[in-house]
Amino acid sequence: MTEDIKKLKVLFATAEAAPFAKVGGLGDVAGALPGSLLRNFPNEIDIRIIMPFHAAVKAKNPPMKKIGDFSFSANTRLIECQLFISDIDGVPVYLIDNPEINHDSPVYHGDWQLDGLKYASFSLALLEALRYLNWNIDILHANDWHTALAVYALTTTYKDDPFFSGIKTVLSIHNLPYNGWGSQDAMSMLGFTASADADLPDWAKFTPLPMGISATDRIITVSPGYAREILTPEYGCGMEAYLQKHSDKVSGILNGIDESRWDPAEDETLSYNFSVENLSQRVNNKLDFQRALNFNVDETIPLLTVVTRLSEQKGVPAILEALPRLIDRQWQFALLGTGSPELETSVRQLARAHPERVAAFIKYDDVIARMLYASGDIFLMPSLYEPCGLSQMFAMRYGNLPVATATGGLADSIRDYSADPQTATGFLYSQKTTAGLIQAVNLALDVFQDKNAWRIMQTNAMTTDFSWATSARNYLDIYKSL
Ligand code: ADP
């Protein structure tokens, strides 16, 4: 009992959490960080997740119990909610449903009116759920624009509400450009008013993420590199002046990965499990994959791989331009991704033009993703910016060496061949252009020919500690400091 009183009570609010619902890295983080905190510091923290009850969660149908119904008023609307509880690896997960969240809907509609209503209402509902549960938390940890308005509401609508007094807030930024712009009508409908923070640029005063940034006690970016970058005009998305002025509340903590869910020695989706101790098994995955794709079955041909959202951010256009210009070299290429329709079409065209060496999987598929991580030799990640990036970490853990831009979390997680081949885990390059990518791929293709050098890098990559343990400690320290 006394121990419980001493424990920090943290609500981790998120749009996605793996394995219930995952669209990108946020889902990986939310599915792993709270569990790591709980396992590493069981006597110090009581952390629970809260997320919307999406269609994806319904489809997964995890064991869950209904806790009850509650309702609240937002402007002229009465919002009636249902609250459920489930768990991810021992972490309690509250799931909220209401007509705007709608458990038949996708995680993101891609329609600002619908997404605005979904997440603005979720942001209020998650606070009201605390009241309904009578759970007096110490810390609200919100993530990205989707839950930033919960932080904002604590300092406005709920400012004088005794139930919420004393709550400290942390806001993680996983991707600054996705700021919730377009939710303005939804926010008005639910009674949100613009921030009075004179330091915010005018456009930001009524935009969810900046409203949360202004209201929160601490801002955490998902890598130290990105924490520095967002203070500059190139990466600050118009918020750089604000963030510079308030840089004392900004810090960066590198994401980890869930090393038990991502373990090539145990991964049940792979035909051939492997580890650094039996690395020779690894290539069988590639040979099978080459066979399945009707490529030349030849381990000496380097297999380039990509698993990504198809977006400008991820440097997909540079890949599409670079590969035809590298056509005289020996390689094969396989991409898994969905996203912008134009990029989907261009990727399909490239595969049609070179069926003997290019394969495109235009879908979202966790099994194929794992196959690519495990079969590929070189993993391309030419991101224009990368707050953290997890794909490069999965790739390295599976012995697939990244070629990546030296930005944000990529530079923080990849050790560059050109700096020191003996400790390297991948290839970083600074010039974010097609020419820069071509040069880096050429270098990787050359090094691939040197079996010893490659083996050293693979071993370095696969034995790098990408676990959450260190980062979880850093999060706990920040919670405690509040
Ligand atoms: P972001 O969150 O910016 O999309 P990250 O690298 O942080 O990028 O995380 C992407 C996550 O989504 C990784 O777990 C990656 O394996 C996964 N992913 C991306 N696209 C697909 C896809 N088409 N199929 C399966 N998994 C995917």
Side-chain angles (χ1 to χ4, degrees):
M1 183 67 188
T2 38
E3 263 192 356
D4 267 4
I5 290 171
K6 275 191 295 183
K7 282 186 192 176
L8 267 178
K9 295 189 284 289
V10 181
L11 183 69
F12 192 93
T14 178
E16 9 172 333
F20 287 5
K22 169 180 148 181
V23 176
L26 171 60
D28 288 306
V29 174
L33 169 61
S36 178
L37 279 161
L38 208 55
R39 272 190 303 283
N40 286 295
F41 312 105
N43 298 322
E44 296 182 66
I45 193 163
D46 172 4
I47 186 166
R48 307 179 196 175
I49 295 169
I50 195 157
M51 65 186 287
F53 193 162
H54 312 287
V57 183
K58 193 174 154 196
K60 270 255 150 44
N61 195 20
M64 70 170 80
K65 264 192 354 222
K66 180 160 181 189
I67 299 180
D69 301 312
F70 63 91
S71 60
F72 64 96
S73 308
N75 203 9
T76 55
R77 293 161 96 98
L78 180 73
I79 303 195
E80 297 185 2
C81 301
Q82 297 178 301
L83 185 62
F84 301 83
I85 186 161
S86 184
D87 89 285
I88 295 178
D89 295 343
V91 180
V93 180
Y94 296 114
L95 295 156
I96 300 188
D97 197 6
N98 70 33
E100 326 292 5
I101 291 170
N102 177 4
H103 64 250
D104 285 322
S105 76
V107 178
Y108 309 115
H109 292 272
D111 168 319
W112 278 109
Q113 188 61 24
L114 294 174
D115 281 334
L117 275 171
K118 177 165 183 164
Y119 287 104
S121 94
F122 174 60
S123 295
L124 295 174
L126 71 91
L127 297 177
E128 292 291 345
L130 287 171
R131 195 200 308 274
Y132 177 71
L133 293 163
N134 196 22
W135 192 39
N136 291 103
I137 58 169
D138 301 302
I139 310 258
L140 170 67
H141 185 159
N143 290 276
D144 278 350
W145 76 266
H146 325 108
T147 45
L149 289 174
V151 175
Y152 181 72
L154 279 180
T155 62
T156 50
T157 318
Y158 293 92
K159 186 164 176 274
D160 300 318
D161 188 324
F163 182 80
F164 296 100
S165 75
I167 296 179
K168 300 290 181 187
T169 53
V170 173
L171 176 60
S172 281
I173 301 179
H174 301 256
N175 205 330
L176 185 60
Y178 292 78
N179 59 21
W181 179 263
S183 312
Q184 281 76 11
D185 286 350
M187 287 195 288
S188 300
M189 244 181 257
L190 296 178
F192 285 96
T193 51
S195 170
D197 186 342
D199 290 347
L200 282 176
D202 281 342
W203 64 267
K205 291 186 171 126
F206 202 49
T207 303
L209 184 58
M211 289 159 80
I213 286 175
S214 148
T216 194
D217 295 309
R218 286 295 291 267
I219 298 163
I220 302 182
T221 63
V222 287
S223 70
Y226 196 54
R228 291 187 297 273
E229 287 175 349
I230 60 173
L231 306 182
T232 66
E234 186 182 352
Y235 298 93
C237 305
M239 286 293 289
E240 58 277 7
Y242 183 92
L243 291 165
Q244 277 164 28
K245 183 161 179 191
H246 299 273
S247 62
D248 52 326
K249 67 175 187 179
V250 182
S251 47
I253 301 178
L254 191 68
N255 283 337
I257 58 174
D258 185 331
E259 292 190 325
S260 60
R261 281 195 208 128
W262 293 92
D263 179 0
E266 301 286 339
D267 191 327
E268 287 170 1
T269 68
L270 304 183
S271 305
Y272 300 91
N273 287 111
F274 58 93
S275 63
V276 273
E277 281 79 39
N278 67 343
L279 200 47
S280 57
Q281 281 300 307
R282 185 178 190 276
V283 75
N284 292 318
N285 293 299
K286 168 170 157 182
L287 298 174
D288 269 9
F289 195 51
Q290 287 175 321
R291 217 168 277 125
L293 296 177
N294 275 329
F295 287 177
N296 279 342
V297 181
D298 179 348
E299 65 176 277
T300 66
I301 303 176
L303 176 61
L304 312 179
T305 46
V306 170
V307 178
T308 191
R309 286 186 287 116
L310 293 177
S311 72
E312 300 273 329
Q313 179 206 336
K314 298 294 181 179
V316 181
I319 296 174
L320 292 168
E321 284 167 19
L323 290 179
R325 287 163 57 185
L326 284 159
I327 208 75
D328 293 336
R329 297 210 61 165
Q330 242 201 353
W331 48 258
Q332 297 164 339
F333 175 68
L335 174 146
L336 169 68
T338 55
S340 120
E342 297 77 39
L343 290 174
E344 288 186 354
T345 304
S346 306
V347 171
R348 281 201 182 95
Q349 276 166 354
L350 186 71
R352 265 201 299 275
H354 306 281
E356 72 298 344
R357 67 195 305 198
V358 175
F361 301 91
I362 307 297
K363 56 173 156 175
Y364 192 95
D365 188 315
D366 186 55
V367 174
I368 300 179
R370 288 166 185 272
M371 199 186 293
L372 285 180
Y373 289 130
S375 310
D377 299 299
I378 295 170
F379 189 81
L380 304 182
M381 207 152 163
S383 305
L384 299 180
Y385 70 96
E386 195 56 77
C388 176
L390 296 173
S391 311
Q392 81 281 7
M393 295 193 209
F394 298 137
M396 286 186 274
R397 179 130 168 90
Y398 281 58
N400 190 345
L401 302 183
V403 168
T405 40
T407 188
L410 295 171
D412 286 342
S413 61
I414 298 168
R415 293 197 299 277
D416 183 24
Y417 174 82
S418 299
D420 178 7
Q422 290 305 314
T423 58
T425 60
F427 303 85
L428 290 170
Y429 66 99
S430 304
Q431 196 198 341
K432 290 183 209 160
T433 58
T434 304
L437 175 62
I438 290 174
Q439 199 181 0
V441 172
N442 267 322
L443 175 61
L445 293 173
D446 291 344
V447 178
F448 179 78
Q449 302 306 323
D450 180 344
K451 280 200 159 173
N452 268 341
W454 200 260
R455 177 63 67 101
I456 290 170
M457 287 181 71
Q458 272 185 318
T459 307
N460 293 342
M462 292 176 69
T463 51
T464 299
D465 179 4
F466 291 120
S467 74
W468 268 106
T470 316
S471 301
R473 166 94 258 164
N474 294 333
Y475 276 96
L476 183 70
D477 289 344
I478 287 189
Y479 294 157
K480 282 184 172 170
S481 75
L482 291 169

